[in-house]
Amino acid sequence: MTLGDLVIDVVEKLGVNHIFGVPGDYNLRFLDYIVGSDKLKWIGNCNELNASYAADGYARENSVGVLVTTLGVGELSAANGIAGSYAHNIPILHIIGYPNSRVMQYDIPVHHTLANFKKNSFLESFTPISGATTILTETNYIEEIQRVVSNMLITKKPSYLGIPTDLVDLDVSETIEDIYFYCENRDNHEVANIGDIIIKRYLDASFPMFLLGVNIARFGWREIMTEILQKNQAKFVTTLMGKSIINETSVAEPNYLGIYAGDYSTEGIVSVVQSADCIISIGTVETDINCGGFTEDGIDFDHVITIRPNSVKIGKKLYSGISIDALLNYILENISPNKRANIDFKRKEIKVDIKNFINNESTLNQKDFWPLVSKEIVREGDIVVAEAGTALFGLVGQNLPPKIDFVSQLLWASIGYTLPSAIGSAIASPNRRVLLFIGDGSFQLTAQELCLLSRYNLNITVFLINNSGYTIERAIHGAKQSYNNISEWKYLDFAKSLGVDKTISIKTFKEFVENIKNINEDGPKMIELFFDKLDYPPLLKQISDKLEEANKQ
């Protein structure tokens, strides 16, 4: 047993079957262990940034992702993606190949370093965007592997594991059975007390509801929250980042009211939430866009119960050190339907009649396109990946089918993220269809990764929104400025050059309807959709106006 064998066993124990990254001379020996494993598959990406995005998308479907880079040039290329994973609570084990131990000990200025005799220069760069960081040595490897991996599992933040190249083949006496990856063992004596308070408040209320956010998925609470809602048939709303977080038909169909995001809420939801006399908020994230530009006025926060990964707040009283897993289990076991509840609200159905588009020669527009694609293209069980631009703000307010995963990056919002992320999701879930909606400006940042669609025959349909540039930036500022324009590509020719042979160009609604059957076929394909450069989804225009105002203050 070598240290390389031990790390491979750790990766396999985490339930990971695919590892993303780019070869570099300091990680090559470790890569030999990856390709020598019967259970792991190496996915070589075009660059480290794309690899970090792909590992993120993989982890959203598989709970954990693994990324391998080399010292300096490789890891720094991936830093933006790791920061996004940190912001969105995506657990990534980032393994970095380091020079040999002698070089590290004496700070020898070798290649891929700054030649400044500081061995930890890059590790320090990752400290703010990692839950835990370490460089392994001959004496610390067992404790440090346990520490950084355990931190990743508890906090859902990326962890940084540096391995000097000579230590990969180090003989070790420990095996995977000697490493216990613990989840934090908190004092649970308050769980029943807090659970009883929450249940009583819920049952005593006349207008109770749940407000659910994306961290329900990140911290593994999706199933138990579905069971809680199913048991008591409670009404619920979600945040923008929590879109489709509860996707079981029997729960969502009768009880989902809409999206609450302050001024960005779906129609009628603000008054409903403001009228609630008990709001149980679980897994929500407070950010500018997710909270409607911080416009959550009119809510009596004495009526709000906030459950976060590390704390519970009831009114103004804060409880820390509570096991949220234990608390949610207690609520599930003891809660019952509130027979006093009187929420008489039904979300507005977005009606779409395809007959209106069959012979419609008008060009595509954002207002009508997203309801149409939500009804005619998105199917039950799909993974829908939406770039943080016109795609995200066009789709987030639509009524999507059940049992889908909705992937976006609303907080970090790094353009280009979604193409590699969709690839990671498709590799993690090979039996599901992935629909990627991405703008042309975003696509140009990570376009080379398109080659993996044909290489691995991934069931991804890429909807390329061609509006000649950065339309989300145009909506915020400089609508007609040249800096928001991009070079015009022949996107479908480019896709074919990378092996994606199925391509369709669509400019009108009639062409779209005529191609629905072709679009819905399985297999990798690209659909180029043409929109006017100043055409925005209504929600995007509302948000962009507020963002420009905030940027001026």
Side-chain angles (χ1 to χ4, degrees):
M1 171 73 75
T2 65
L3 182 57
D5 292 321
L6 183 61
V7 174
I8 291 297
D9 286 347
V10 167
V11 171
E12 292 175 357
K13 186 174 182 178
L14 292 171
V16 171
N17 298 311
H18 302 82
I19 297 179
F20 301 87
V22 176
D25 59 336
Y26 296 137
N27 67 27
L28 292 176
R29 186 67 193 101
F30 181 66
L31 297 191
D32 289 339
Y33 282 82
I34 295 174
V35 298
S37 168
D38 293 334
K39 297 180 181 179
L40 297 178
K41 185 170 184 177
W42 170 251
I43 305 294
N45 296 94
C46 296
N47 60 56
E48 291 87 356
L49 175 60
N50 291 354
S52 66
Y53 289 154
D56 182 296
Y58 185 91
R60 289 174 186 248
E61 295 298 316
N62 192 65
S63 299
V64 175
V66 176
L67 167 70
V68 176
T69 64
T70 197
L71 175 78
V73 293
E75 59 182 314
L76 292 181
S77 178
N80 179 38
I82 292 295
S85 298
Y86 185 95
H88 288 262
N89 294 320
I90 308 296
I92 304 294
L93 181 59
H94 183 193
I95 300 172
I96 304 91
Y98 265 74
N100 69 56
S101 301
R102 179 177 172 275
V103 169
M104 299 291 293
Q105 181 181 357
Y106 294 106
D107 284 331
I108 299 173
V110 296
H111 64 284
H112 294 339
T113 71
L114 301 176
N116 62 352
F117 304 99
K118 289 185 177 181
K119 68 172 73 71
N120 295 332
S121 294
F122 307 125
L123 181 145
E124 292 171 359
S125 300
F126 277 85
T127 300
I129 56 175
S130 302
T133 61
T134 193
I135 301 173
L136 300 185
T137 69
E138 288 188 46
T139 57
N140 75 1
Y141 62 87
I142 193 74
E143 291 83 3
E144 286 298 273
I145 290 174
Q146 183 179 42
R147 180 179 67 85
V148 298
V149 174
S150 294
N151 182 279
M152 178 187 69
L153 296 175
I154 293 167
T155 66
K156 312 303 180 185
K157 302 292 188 184
S159 279
Y160 179 108
L161 187 69
I163 308 178
T165 185
D166 61 312
L167 295 190
V168 174
D169 295 319
L170 176 71
D171 288 327
V172 299
S173 58
E174 295 87 353
T175 68
I176 190 64
E177 287 75 20
D178 297 315
I179 304 180
Y180 175 55
F181 298 125
Y182 59 90
C183 286
E184 197 168 6
N185 185 18
R186 297 170 178 155
D187 185 357
N188 293 332
H189 74 279
E190 285 284 357
V191 165
N193 178 43
I194 294 171
D196 288 339
I197 294 173
I198 294 172
I199 291 170
K200 186 177 187 305
R201 283 209 176 196
Y202 173 78
L203 293 176
D204 287 346
S206 299
F207 212 69
M209 68 173 58
F210 285 78
L211 171 59
L212 307 179
V214 69
N215 275 338
I216 286 174
R218 300 288 83 81
F219 285 84
W221 304 332
R222 201 172 192 173
E223 183 175 339
I224 193 168
M225 273 311 309
T226 299
E227 292 178 12
I228 289 172
L229 295 170
Q230 198 164 36
K231 181 178 180 181
N232 66 5
Q233 289 299 304
K235 303 297 182 183
F236 70 97
V237 296
T238 70
T239 62
L240 286 170
M241 291 173 68
K243 172 72 175 176
S244 297
I245 201 70
I246 302 296
N247 56 20
E248 181 61 44
T249 307
S250 62
V251 177
E253 193 62 37
N255 297 312
Y256 173 60
L257 302 179
I259 289 175
Y260 177 70
D263 288 349
Y264 308 153
S265 303
T266 49
E267 185 176 339
I269 288 297
V270 170
S271 60
V272 173
V273 174
Q274 289 177 346
S275 300
D277 54 356
C278 177
I279 300 174
I280 302 177
S281 172
I282 304 178
T284 57
V285 179
E286 294 178 357
T287 73
D288 54 351
I289 297 176
N290 205 38
C291 295
F294 303 111
T295 55
E296 296 175 310
D297 304 324
I299 294 177
D300 185 346
F301 284 94
D302 286 337
H303 293 159
V304 178
I305 298 166
T306 304
I307 299 176
R308 301 197 187 283
N310 301 304
S311 65
V312 177
K313 189 175 184 182
I314 302 177
K316 297 177 180 178
K317 190 168 184 178
L318 182 66
Y319 301 84
S320 298
I322 305 299
S323 169
I324 304 304
D325 290 337
L327 177 63
L328 293 178
N329 274 294
Y330 185 88
I331 292 172
L332 174 61
E333 292 171 4
N334 293 279
I335 201 167
S336 58
N338 182 333
K339 297 180 180 179
R340 303 177 58 204
N342 182 28
I343 300 181
D344 185 19
F345 177 86
K346 292 184 178 180
R347 72 181 187 275
K348 182 180 179 181
E349 292 295 329
I350 302 174
K351 296 181 179 180
V352 180
D353 188 349
I354 195 171
K355 294 178 182 178
N356 296 329
F357 299 98
I358 291 176
N359 295 310
N360 191 336
E361 298 277 6
S362 61
T363 57
L364 299 176
N365 67 75
Q366 300 278 349
K367 181 176 179 293
D368 295 323
F369 174 75
W370 298 110
L372 180 63
V373 79
S374 299
K375 181 179 179 181
E376 299 297 333
I377 301 298
V378 183
R379 299 192 303 235
E380 181 175 329
D382 285 341
I383 299 173
V384 179
V385 185
E387 185 73 33
T390 55
L392 172 58
F393 297 110
L395 280 168
V396 75
Q398 305 303 321
N399 296 330
L400 298 180
K403 298 182 180 180
I404 72 161
D405 286 340
F406 189 82
V407 178
S408 66
Q409 204 189 47
L410 185 62
L411 173 56
W412 190 243
S414 181
I415 64 172
Y417 158 80
T418 52
L419 173 56
S421 176
I423 290 168
S425 293
I427 290 173
S429 300
N431 295 322
R432 299 176 68 184
R433 186 176 69 154
V434 177
L435 304 179
L436 166 62
F437 297 88
I438 184 171
D440 51 356
S442 297
F443 178 78
Q444 289 192 8
L445 270 76
T446 53
Q448 65 270 56
E449 215 65 35
L450 195 69
C451 63
L452 295 190
L453 270 67
S454 58
R455 181 177 180 182
Y456 296 110
N457 193 32
L458 301 177
N459 193 11
I460 300 177
T461 300
V462 179
F463 294 87
L464 183 93
I465 301 163
N466 189 332
N467 43 24
S468 302
Y470 303 120
T471 291
I472 186 172
E473 310 296 356
R474 292 183 180 123
I476 297 171
H477 183 79
K480 297 183 179 181
Q481 294 287 8
S482 60
Y483 50 69
N484 283 325
N485 298 332
I486 59 174
S487 299
E488 296 290 340
W489 288 13
K490 295 181 179 180
Y491 293 101
L492 301 187
D493 290 343
F494 175 78
K496 290 178 180 178
S497 75
L498 297 182
V500 180
D501 295 325
K502 292 182 180 179
T503 62
I504 304 172
S505 176
I506 296 176
K507 295 183 178 180
T508 69
F509 282 105
K510 180 181 178 182
E511 291 172 350
F512 182 82
V513 172
E514 289 173 346
N515 280 286
I516 286 176
K517 182 178 179 180
N518 296 326
I519 293 171
N520 280 327
E521 291 178 352
D522 285 341
K525 67 183 76 68
M526 175 178 276
I527 317 299
E528 185 174 13
L529 305 163
F530 290 85
F531 291 85
D532 184 83
K533 65 173 63 177
L534 298 181
D535 184 17
Y536 318 121
L539 179 59
L540 173 57
K541 183 57 179 167
Q542 183 183 0
I543 291 174
S544 62
D545 287 346
K546 190 174 287 289
L547 288 176
E548 182 174 31
E549 181 181 340
N551 289 339
K552 291 178 180 178
Q553 295 176 356

